[in-house]
Amino acid sequence: MSTKLRILVPVKRVIDYAVKPRVKSDRTGVETSGVKHSLNPFDELSIEEAVRLRERKSPVEEIVAVSAGPAKCADTLRTAMAMGADRSIHVDVPEDKALEPLGVAKLLKAIAEKEKSNLIILGKQAIDDDSGQTGQMLAGLLNWPQATQACKVSIENDTVTVEREVDGGAETLKAKLPMIITTDLRLNEPRYASLPNIMKAKKKKLEKKSLGDYGVDGNPRLKTVKVEEPPVRQGGGKVEDVDGMIAKLKELGAI
Amino acid sequence: MLPIARQSALRAIRAQSNPRPLLTPSQSSSLARLLSTLAILEQRDGKLNTGSLGAVTAGTKLGGPVHGFVAGKAAKTVAQDAAKIQGLEKVIAVENEAYERGLPENWAPLLAENIKKGGYTHVIAAHSAFGKSLLPRVAALLDVQQISDVMKIESEDTFVRPIYAGNAILTVQSTDPTKLLTVRQTSFAPAETEGGSASVEDGVDPKVASPTEWVSENLAKSDRPELASAERVVSGGRGLKSKEEFERLIPPLADALGAAIGASRAAVDSGFADNSLQVGQTGKNVAPQLYLAAGISGAIQHLAGMKDSKVIACINKDPDAPIFQVADVGLVGDLFEKVPELTEKLKAQS
C-alpha cells in the first residue's frame, strides 16, 4: 500500500530573473517598487515536478502552494495554481519585514505539520538573496531526510530516489517519505500556464494567514549594514584579430 | 605556558554555559578575544579536499584559534595530513564509516554536538555542494541564521556576501551567538597544507543514524585542472551550436592553455556539456587568471559566476553582446574560425 502524497510547494515572489537589479541610493537595499516580479525560477521547477508526479500516476492526494510575503504574493500563488497546484496558503508578511530563511523554515514546519504534508519540494535557492538554505533548514527542523539540488526524482511506494547535482557530477540517494527535496535547473522544464488554467486558478482556494496563526515570530537575526553596487568592471575594448588577442593577453600577463 | 593555561580556563568557563546564550549581541564585541572557530574540512577516499581549505583561511582572518574538523572512514589518517595545514591549532577527528558519504542527516547532529562541546563562536565550511547541503541543516539545529557564500569578513560578526546574482553586495551583521558561514572558494585561497603542527583529538560521535541511503555516484572524470580552482578557464556557450562542435573546438583550446573547461547554462541545457561544468549564479563560481568565453553572450546569471576573473577574454560574433562590456580583450568574429586559429597559434608558441 503506497502512501498518498501530500505535497507542499513553497514559492517565493522575486524580482524577475531578466531584470538587472538596482541598488537604492541610500544603500539600504535593492529597488523593488515598480520592478517586474515573478515566481522564483527554481520554485517553478518545484511546482512542475509536483504536477508531473501526479501525471506520472503517483498517488498525489493534494498539492498545496504556500508563500510568505506582501499582498502581491497572491499573484505568485495564482500562477502556481494555474500550473497545477490545488490550493494555496498566503502568509501575510509586510515587505519591510521579510523573513530570513530560518524564519521561513520555522513557518513551513508549522504549515507542513498542520497540512500533514509528506513531501516538500522547494527551489534550491531564491534568486534574490541567493542563500540556498530554506530546504535544508526545514529538513533539520522536521528531522526529515533531504535531497538537495535534485535533477531526477522517482517515487515508488514510499521510497524516494533522487539524483542530485554535486561538484563534479551527480549522486543518487534513497530515502523513505516524508522527505524534503530541493530542485535544480536540470530537473524539468516548467510548463506555461494556459489561459483556461489561469481562469480556473482564480476559482481555486487561496487562504490568507498570518505569522501569528502559526506561532512564528519572524524576528530577524541579521542586520543589513549596507547594500552596495559591485565594483564596475571596465571592458578593455576590442581587438582586430587573433594575433591581436594573443598580443593583448600577453601584455596583460594572462598567458 | 601562561597563554595556554588562560585559554583553557576560558574554554572551561565557556563550556559550562549553555551553547545558546554563549554570547549575547551586546557582549560579543567585548568578548571578541574569546572567539574560536571550527573549520569543516572535506575529504574523499581518505584524501583532504583542498577546495575546502578556504574555510581555514577565512577562520584565521577572524583572529582566534582555528580547529579543523574531519569525519569519515579514515578520518584519523586524514587528520594527520590536516594537522600540517598552516593556521590550525587542533584537528578534531571522528572516525566512523557512517560519515564517509557526507550525508547531512547524520553530519548535522555530529557537527551540532561538536560545536556545542567545543563552544565555538564561528563555524566555517566551503560554499561547495557539501557545505551548501550541510550547514543550513546544522544552523537549524542550533537555531542560527547561517550566512552563505561569504566573500569578505569585516569583523567577527560582520560579513559581506553577494545577492541578486552578484548585482548587489550585502554587508550583514549577525546577532546570533554562533556564526555559521559558508565561504566563497574564489574569495579565500586554500590554506597551506605544509608547515603546520596541529594536535589531533577525537571528537564526539552522537552516532545518529541517517534515514537517507547513499546509492551511487557518477562523477565526470577528467585530467584537466578542477574548474573552481583552475588558473585558466575556457568556456563555451550556445554559439557552439552542438555537442560535437563543443567537443571539437573547446578541449583543444583548453589543452593549449592548460585550462579547465566551463560552460554557460545555455550550453548545459542544450546538452553540449555536462552540468557540473556550468559557470554562473546557479553553477560554479570561478575567478581564474584568465577566463576565455567563446560563444557566450554574457547574461547576468553567467557573469555572476566569472566576473571576478583577473582577465576576461571573449570571442563572439555579436559586437553588442553584454560579454564585451566586461571583457578585457574582445574579439568580434565567427568562433568556428577564430577558436581553431587561436588554438593553432597558441600551440605554435609553446
Side-chain angles (χ1 to χ4, degrees), chain A residues 133 136 146 165 221 233 236, chain B residues 132 143 145 275 309 327:
Chain A
Q133 300 171 351
Q136 299 89 303
Q146 70 180 55
E165 306 275 357
R221 304 288 182 82
R233 205 179 163 111
Chain B
K132 285 192 267 189
D143 195 29
Q145 176 53 56
N275 195 64
S309 305

Side-chain angles (χ1 to χ4, degrees), chain A:
Chain A
M1 183 60 197
S2 61
T3 315
K4 286 249 185 203
L5 293 172
R6 297 180 57 84
I7 308 176
L8 187 69
V9 185
V11 298
K12 186 174 185 183
R13 176 179 177 268
V14 298
I15 292 183
D16 189 85
Y17 77 95
V19 174
K20 187 170 163 41
R22 290 204 10 234
V23 174
K24 288 184 191 168
S25 53
D26 64 358
R27 308 206 301 179
T28 55
V30 160
E31 192 60 67
T32 53
S33 59
V35 176
K36 185 185 177 197
H37 282 67
S38 304
L39 184 53
N40 179 41
F42 290 98
D43 302 344
E44 287 186 17
L45 299 160
S46 318
I47 300 162
E48 179 65 32
E49 196 60 23
V51 175
R52 285 191 190 189
L53 283 170
R54 172 181 276 153
E55 289 170 350
R56 274 185 244 138
K57 308 285 180 224
S58 297
V60 175
E61 189 178 324
E62 193 177 37
I63 301 169
V64 180
V66 55
S67 192
K72 282 186 177 152
C73 284
D75 302 343
T76 313
L77 288 166
R78 291 283 173 211
T79 309
M81 291 192 287
M83 288 176 70
D86 299 309
R87 64 183 173 93
S88 51
I89 301 168
H90 173 210
V91 182
D92 190 50
V93 179
E95 187 147 13
D96 58 345
K97 295 204 172 71
L99 295 177
E100 292 169 349
L102 183 65
V104 177
K106 286 178 179 176
L107 172 65
L108 291 175
K109 174 179 190 270
I111 295 175
E113 283 168 351
K114 184 153 182 289
E115 301 295 332
K116 299 187 172 56
S117 313
N118 55 13
L119 178 63
I120 307 178
I121 311 179
L122 308 91
K124 78 163 177 181
Q125 78 195 66
I127 59 162
D128 51 0
D129 78 344
D130 282 334
S131 287
Q133 300 171 351
T134 306
Q136 299 89 303
M137 286 182 161
L138 178 59
L141 294 176
L142 287 165
N143 197 22
W144 289 5
Q146 70 180 55
T148 53
Q149 303 190 209
C151 56
K152 195 172 171 206
V153 174
S154 54
I155 301 183
E156 206 166 314
N157 299 322
D158 59 349
T159 302
V160 186
T161 306
V162 179
E163 194 178 315
R164 59 181 296 261
E165 306 275 357
V166 294
D167 298 335
E171 70 176 12
T172 305
L173 302 174
K174 205 156 82 174
K176 285 206 181 339
L177 292 170
M179 185 167 187
I180 307 277
I181 294 171
T182 75
T183 59
D184 210 330
L185 286 170
R186 267 207 310 166
L187 181 60
N188 59 46
E189 183 119 359
R191 69 196 63 197
Y192 288 102
S194 66
L195 187 60
N197 284 339
I198 293 171
M199 299 310 286
K200 269 186 226 157
K202 290 188 175 166
K203 297 205 179 79
K204 289 182 177 175
K205 193 168 137 200
L206 195 160
E207 257 179 293
K208 267 218 150 202
K209 295 279 189 183
S210 70
L211 286 178
D213 293 337
Y214 294 104
V216 174
D217 70 15
N219 292 337
R221 304 288 182 82
L222 304 179
K223 277 189 260 181
T224 297
V225 177
K226 62 185 174 190
V227 176
E228 295 170 297
E229 295 274 358
V232 179
R233 205 179 163 111
Q234 289 297 333
K238 291 168 186 160
V239 290
E240 285 301 312
D241 51 23
V242 168
D243 292 323
M245 179 171 244
I246 292 174
K248 189 79 187 286
L249 289 177
K250 278 197 176 146
E251 186 190 315
L252 293 167
I255 55 172

Side-chain angles (χ1 to χ4, degrees), chain B residues 253-305:
Chain B
L253 179 56
D255 288 342
L257 285 164
I261 294 179
S264 70
R265 187 190 158 197
V268 169
D269 275 357
S270 311
F272 303 175
D274 189 81
N275 195 64
S276 60
L277 301 183
Q278 188 190 324
V279 172
Q281 181 185 20
T282 64
K284 288 222 168 50
N285 284 304
V286 299
Q289 293 293 316
L290 172 63
Y291 188 86
L292 204 163
I296 293 178
S297 66
I300 297 174
Q301 291 78 13
H302 186 76
L303 299 182

